[in-house]
């Protein structure tokens, strides 16, 4: 076992449990950002003032979003006493680099998502590339299904696991984080892959099932409304909690073994006899 990963799951969970202020901040700020984004989409652009308001408010929403999440990565870095204020202060200068990382990350997801539109062509080409005896064992439908699963794995697992640790490094080391070795350490840790899978199930799959749950028996409109509000609330809390656990896990898998700054050692003082 890698000595750096000893107590990995326990340390990750305790880091989040001991960060109630960060958890509450994410619950509040992310909700406000979603509401702000909703109203930002509804701003008309019929005059110059409205256009300026659209640009300024859009930049503000983007800055706060990037600042919040980059500061979260910085907060979970090894430190004698984690400080949210210090993390926010340090991360403000890293927002441009974090924006570049976000663009690359989003572009990668978009490109992988485009592969899903060509799963039949990719699956068919892969099947025809197989040797004859294997091609007879693989049906076209199986080839299409395997391609769809592969695209899903790339989209939801391999690309995030590869590039999210880079974002954690960029959030602290600015542009130097793009080529630091620590960003690729989680790839070699099976325990990190397991934590990511659990966070994905709790923070993405379960909320998806809750939001799209359909009633199995006739209910009133009032009951359906309260059910939807409750399911959305639970899904939101699960999403935020899983994201914070994942942030802490990424940081600890990247350089959780980094030495913390220590107090300077006291020099021995020579005692002289009093005359």
């Amino acid at each position: 076992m890698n000595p750096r990963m000893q107590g990995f799951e326990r340390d990750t969970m305790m880091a989040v449990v001991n960060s109630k202020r960060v958890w509450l901040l994410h619950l509040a700020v992310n909700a406000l950002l979603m509401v702000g984004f909703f109203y930002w989409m509804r701003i008309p652009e019929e005059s110059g003032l409205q256009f300026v308001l659209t640009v300024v408010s859009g930049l503000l929403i983007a800055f706060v979003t990037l600042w919040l999440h980059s500061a979260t990565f910085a907060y979970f870095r090894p430190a004698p006493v984690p400080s949210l204020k210090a993390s926010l202060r340090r991360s403000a200068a890293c927002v441009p680099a974090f924006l570049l990382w976000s663009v690359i990350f989003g572009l990668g997801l978009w490109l992988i998502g485009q592969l899903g539109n060509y799963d039949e062509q990719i699956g068919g080409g892969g099947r025809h590339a197989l040797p004859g005896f294997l091609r007879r064992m693989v049906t076209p439908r199986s080839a299409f299904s395997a391609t769809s699963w592969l695209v899903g794995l790339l989209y939801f697992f391999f690309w995030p696991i590869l590039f999210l640790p880079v974002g954690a490094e960029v959030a602290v080391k600015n542009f130097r984080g793009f080529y630091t070795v620590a960003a690729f350490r989680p790839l070699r840790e099976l325990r990190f892959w397991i934590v990511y899978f659990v966070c994905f199930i709790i923070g993405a799959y379960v909320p998806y099932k809750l939001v799209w749950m359909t009633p199995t028996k006739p209910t009133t409109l009032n009951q359906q409304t309260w059910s939807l509000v409750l399911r959305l609330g639970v899904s939101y809390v699960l999403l935020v909690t899983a994201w914070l656990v994942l942030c802490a896990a990424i940081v600890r898998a990247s350089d959780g073994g980094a030495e913390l700054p220590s107090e300077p050692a006291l020099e021995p003082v020579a005692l002289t006899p009093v005359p």
Side-chain angles (χ1 to χ4, degrees):
M1 179 187 297
N2 191 334
R4 280 192 316 107
M5 300 295 288
Q6 290 183 356
F8 170 68
E9 296 85 356
R10 182 190 66 251
D11 293 343
T12 298
M13 292 303 302
M14 290 306 300
V16 177
V17 170
N18 295 331
S19 305
K20 298 179 179 63
R21 292 176 57 192
V22 178
W23 183 74
L24 292 173
L25 179 67
H26 269 264
L27 286 178
V29 175
N30 283 308
L32 291 175
L33 288 171
M34 287 188 289
V35 172
F37 181 77
F38 172 77
Y39 282 103
W40 177 75
M41 295 289 293
R42 299 173 63 89
I43 298 177
E45 298 181 0
E46 300 174 355
S47 64
L49 179 60
Q50 290 174 339
F51 176 76
V52 171
L53 178 61
T54 300
V55 173
V56 173
S57 57
L59 291 175
L60 180 62
I61 291 172
F63 175 81
V64 173
T65 303
L66 295 169
W67 188 22
L68 172 66
H69 293 285
S70 61
T72 302
F73 281 121
Y75 173 81
F76 286 116
R77 307 292 288 196
V81 180
S83 172
L84 178 59
K85 291 183 179 180
S87 300
L88 288 169
R89 184 172 60 252
R90 290 195 302 265
S91 298
C94 299
V95 168
F98 200 70
L99 171 61
L100 176 61
W101 170 85
S102 301
V103 171
I104 298 174
F105 182 67
L107 181 61
L109 288 178
W110 180 80
L111 290 175
I112 295 172
Q114 295 305 303
L115 294 177
N117 299 326
Y118 303 96
D119 54 354
E120 294 183 359
Q121 293 88 332
I122 297 174
R127 180 175 177 271
H128 283 291
L130 295 174
F133 70 97
L134 286 178
R135 190 183 310 141
R136 289 190 294 270
M137 300 171 58
V138 179
T139 64
R141 177 173 297 182
S142 299
F144 302 157
S145 178
T147 303
S148 179
W149 273 96
L150 178 60
V151 172
L153 288 174
L154 287 173
Y155 190 93
F156 292 109
F157 287 92
F158 292 117
W159 179 244
I161 288 176
L162 173 65
F163 216 61
L164 281 175
V166 178
E169 295 298 316
V170 170
V172 176
K173 301 176 182 177
N174 218 323
F175 289 98
R176 293 187 296 110
F178 281 105
Y179 49 85
T180 180
V181 177
F184 301 99
R185 288 174 183 162
L187 295 174
R188 305 193 300 265
E189 304 296 346
L190 177 61
R191 298 169 73 173
F192 171 74
W193 286 67
I194 295 174
V195 170
Y196 178 88
F197 178 76
V198 173
C199 289
F200 175 81
I201 294 297
I202 295 175
Y205 181 76
V206 173
Y208 172 81
K209 288 295 185 179
L210 286 175
V211 171
W212 294 102
M213 182 184 298
T214 56
T216 57
K217 58 182 180 179
T219 55
T220 64
L221 180 60
N222 188 45
Q223 291 175 330
Q224 292 181 18
T225 301
W226 280 107
S227 173
L228 178 61
V229 171
L230 180 61
R231 287 184 281 117
L232 286 176
V234 173
S235 300
Y236 179 64
V237 172
L238 289 176
L239 174 61
V240 170
T241 304
W243 170 245
L244 292 181
V245 172
L246 181 59
C247 289
I250 289 172
V251 171
R252 275 151 179 74
S254 299
D255 55 357
E259 295 182 359
L260 303 179
S262 57
E263 296 294 332
L266 297 178
E267 295 292 336
V269 179
L271 300 178
T272 57
V274 179

